[in-house]
Amino acid sequence: MNAIKMSNGGQAGMDTSCTVRDATMSLLREAGMTTIFGNPGSTELPFLRNFPADFRYILGLQESIVLGMADGYAQATRKAALVNLHSAAGVGHALGNLFTAFKNQTPLVVTAGQQARSMLPYEPFLFAERATEFPRPYVKWAIEPARAEDVPAAIARAYYIAMEPPCGPTFVSIPIDDWDKECELIVLRSVVTGNPGNPEAIANVATRLAAARNPVLVVAAGAARDDAWNETVALAERHEMPVWVAPVSARCGFPEDHRLFAGFLPAFRQAIFKALGGHDLILALGGPLSFYHAEGFGPHLPDGADLITIGDNVAHAAWSPVGDAIVANVKSALKQLLGAPASASPAAKTVKAVKPAVSGSHFNVAYLFQQIAQLRPNDSIIVEEAPSSRDAMHDYLPIRKPDSFFTCASGGLGHGLPAAIGISLGQPTRKTIAVLGDGSSMYAIQGLWTATQLNLPVSFVIVNNRRYEALESFGRLLGVQQPVGTKLENIDFCELAHAQGMQSRRATEPRQLDEALRWSFATQGPTLVEVMVD
């Protein structure tokens, strides 16, 4: 459950008149939203006038980077973050990562400047026509308040909605001349959100689990968002269930070195059918099983298998093609399941298979991930946006602790680099390691500047294979043997880092890689390691 902590309220008879700017800053301060992510334009300047000393402004050099940083920060802190964008052009730049934030179920309050109300009938320069429609459908709620004095109330409502499960971004368009108008102070209310699930429905799941001959768990990103790591481990061990990661999950909800860890389900219908064969009950936690990447045919589930999905997203419950669904907070639901009477003790089993070590004779991504796993700090956080390298990461870089892995839930590029910056801002005592493809990095390379300015403990590891390998691999699957527009020759990431004030090293063979990783992981500030893989 999400508890939104608010103030104690105002006193009767108190004079609460002030400017819209003052009321908004007071509101944000009460909500703990004193870190603002932005790239300011002309219509945002009045909001930033007399910027409070207890706030901080995180500047990104392009709006998609701003949105990605805020996404990472909100995920790392489990609190809504404020994003300040510029009218239509800035919102347009940010839309790719807004889409990702929506798919990540990240709580964000996105504001955008609008031209003065008196100018709107004349379609002025740098205004937003039908501003609330532009970011849809990838925001939960959008508004341009009818009156200036309604702006603080609109931001408060946007905050409540962003934090209500399923969490997600909201949007408020604010005309430039609203900030200096008078209004009343808004006192944030105490709102407790979250659906623990119907007790009778959860009790029915417990009965079906106890009766199952060979149950299996599938864990998606929602289990991590609901902080259900320990409960998931306890339930798996109680019933000796193998545990799979749901297709293209953006978070890790179960230790990948656990003896019951079975692996990663591919995003293909026939492959899921094959992997889950022999199980009579499939319990999916925190997300759908049917998150397919390509067209498939045949049944969705193996013969004789029932599916139960538990998660906070009503959309997931609606679109699942088969099985039962319970809309609930995963942590609360699992606590109820763990409190139910247990069945006869099942025989202990071990599922986890260990991959053989990679020698380094071929300088490939498998060797890279193996060395990252061996050399990285114990409490470090992995952020990944290297799609063609994900299988190797699964095999050689196990995630062993909660809140230690983040990736993009949407499939769009340009999220990982700025998200790593936001995650580091939210978890500043831990080393963040961003493993990024060369193509992915170029969508947001300006983010290196912000990491340098803030001196954040981030290691950017660029997997440079000089092409969009994910496209070439998928092309081979579709019978496209020579796709066009996939070669990325002659990009020097060390020079790009140097130009933005960041230290860097390049590795072209195993000895150089180990030296570069040790140096990067031991350095307090941000660094970049470019890895030239085969």
Side-chain angles (χ1 to χ4, degrees):
M1 300 174 70
N2 291 327
I4 304 176
K5 186 178 180 181
M6 306 304 176
S7 75
N8 295 324
Q11 298 177 7
M14 179 184 295
D15 181 8
T16 58
S17 63
C18 61
T19 67
V20 169
R21 183 193 311 103
D22 292 338
T24 299
M25 291 300 183
S26 175
L27 185 80
L28 296 175
R29 186 178 287 112
E30 288 188 74
M33 299 172 69
T34 56
T35 297
I36 299 175
F37 297 85
N39 180 276
S42 55
T43 53
E44 291 72 57
L45 291 178
F47 168 59
L48 302 175
R49 185 190 302 135
N50 301 324
F51 197 68
D54 60 325
F55 280 59
R56 62 176 175 174
Y57 190 89
I58 306 300
L59 174 63
L61 300 187
Q62 205 261 10
E63 288 87 351
S64 66
I65 294 168
V66 168
L67 208 297
M69 290 192 299
D71 183 329
Y73 182 77
Q75 288 196 68
T77 59
R78 287 192 168 89
K79 298 178 181 178
L82 186 78
V83 183
N84 184 228
L85 300 178
H86 179 48
S87 63
V91 174
H93 288 159
L95 281 181
N97 274 335
L98 183 66
F99 168 62
T100 293
F102 183 79
K103 292 297 185 180
N104 284 346
Q105 293 184 211
T106 302
L108 298 176
V109 177
V110 180
T111 64
Q114 173 66 293
Q115 275 289 13
R117 292 177 184 270
S118 63
M119 298 171 63
L120 294 181
Y122 314 114
E123 299 203 12
F125 184 63
L126 286 177
F127 95 120
E129 182 177 358
R130 294 188 289 182
T132 61
E133 297 179 33
F134 195 22
R136 294 184 187 273
Y138 301 117
V139 291
K140 294 178 64 181
W141 183 70
I143 190 174
E144 186 173 277
R147 306 180 306 163
E149 52 264 48
D150 297 330
V151 168
I155 293 175
R157 184 177 175 186
Y159 173 68
Y160 299 138
I161 293 174
M163 289 293 289
E164 290 171 356
C167 295
T170 55
F171 179 82
V172 184
S173 174
I174 306 170
I176 187 174
D177 53 337
D178 283 4
W179 294 108
D180 293 320
K181 300 293 177 60
E182 287 194 357
C183 73
E184 298 293 315
L185 276 174
I186 294 293
V187 177
L188 286 174
R189 297 172 289 110
S190 176
V191 178
V192 178
T193 65
N195 182 356
N198 183 301
E200 293 182 359
I202 301 298
N204 178 259
V205 175
T207 300
R208 293 167 69 178
L209 260 179
R213 300 183 312 277
N214 189 17
V216 61
L217 275 180
V218 178
V219 182
R225 284 193 299 270
D226 287 347
D227 193 23
W229 179 283
N230 292 334
E231 291 77 12
T232 303
V233 172
L235 189 70
E237 292 176 347
R238 184 179 196 187
H239 294 275
E240 286 296 320
M241 288 185 286
V243 180
W244 290 87
V245 175
V248 291
S249 176
R251 301 282 294 274
C252 178
F254 190 84
E256 295 171 10
D257 59 346
H258 194 282
R259 61 182 176 82
L260 291 173
F261 182 71
F264 300 84
L265 288 177
F268 302 95
R269 186 193 299 191
Q270 292 94 328
I272 294 173
F273 177 90
K274 181 179 179 181
L276 299 181
H279 294 289
D280 58 338
L281 181 63
I282 304 164
L283 181 56
L285 304 176
L289 189 63
S290 54
F291 203 45
Y292 304 138
H293 190 193
E295 186 178 20
F297 302 96
H300 295 275
L301 298 178
D303 294 339
D306 291 328
L307 171 65
I308 304 171
T309 302
I310 300 176
D312 67 4
N313 194 324
V314 293
H316 294 167
W319 87 42
S320 296
V322 293
D324 301 327
I326 300 172
V327 177
N329 176 278
V330 175
K331 187 182 188 77
S332 297
L334 293 190
K335 284 183 175 179
Q336 293 180 59
L337 288 177
L338 290 167
S343 59
S345 297
K349 65 181 72 168
T350 297
V351 179
K352 175 69 177 176
V354 179
K355 286 284 183 178
V358 183
S359 69
S361 57
H362 295 291
F363 194 49
N364 55 22
V365 292
Y367 184 79
L368 167 62
F369 283 112
Q370 173 184 275
Q371 299 311 106
I372 291 175
Q374 290 180 5
L375 299 174
R376 72 184 181 110
N378 187 48
D379 65 342
S380 57
I381 298 170
I382 300 294
V383 180
E384 177 267 333
E385 193 179 288
S388 64
S389 304
R390 194 163 294 164
D391 287 346
M393 182 192 71
H394 290 164
D395 289 342
Y396 292 99
L397 181 54
I399 306 301
R400 300 182 171 95
K401 294 184 177 182
D403 297 328
S404 292
F405 175 72
F406 298 84
T407 191
C408 166
S410 71
L413 299 182
H415 171 264
L417 193 154
I421 297 170
I423 289 164
S424 185
L425 279 167
Q427 296 286 337
T429 62
R430 302 170 67 185
K431 171 69 78 171
T432 297
I433 303 169
V435 185
L436 311 166
D438 49 352
S440 300
S441 301
M442 290 305 296
Y443 278 72
I445 199 67
Q446 306 99 312
L448 298 180
W449 181 86
T450 302
T452 301
Q453 298 304 306
L454 298 173
N455 197 34
L456 295 174
V458 184
S459 294
F460 297 95
V461 180
I462 309 297
V463 185
N464 191 345
N465 56 20
R466 298 164 291 284
R467 59 188 179 272
Y468 289 124
E469 174 57 29
L471 278 180
E472 295 197 1
S473 298
F474 205 67
R476 291 190 288 270
L477 180 66
L478 298 175
V480 182
Q481 298 304 319
Q482 293 183 324
V484 298
T486 62
K487 305 302 181 186
L488 299 174
E489 302 288 351
N490 303 318
I491 300 176
D492 190 328
F493 286 94
C494 289
E495 286 297 321
L496 288 170
H498 177 72
Q500 297 180 73
M502 186 176 294
Q503 300 180 75
S504 64
R505 293 189 182 183
R506 180 179 291 110
T508 60
E509 50 92 13
R511 180 184 59 81
Q512 292 177 337
L513 176 66
D514 286 5
E515 291 176 356
L517 291 178
R518 287 192 179 96
W519 161 77
S520 179
F521 297 162
T523 301
Q524 179 60 35
T527 57
L528 182 143
V529 176
E530 181 179 11
V531 186
M532 311 297 293
V533 297
D534 294 338

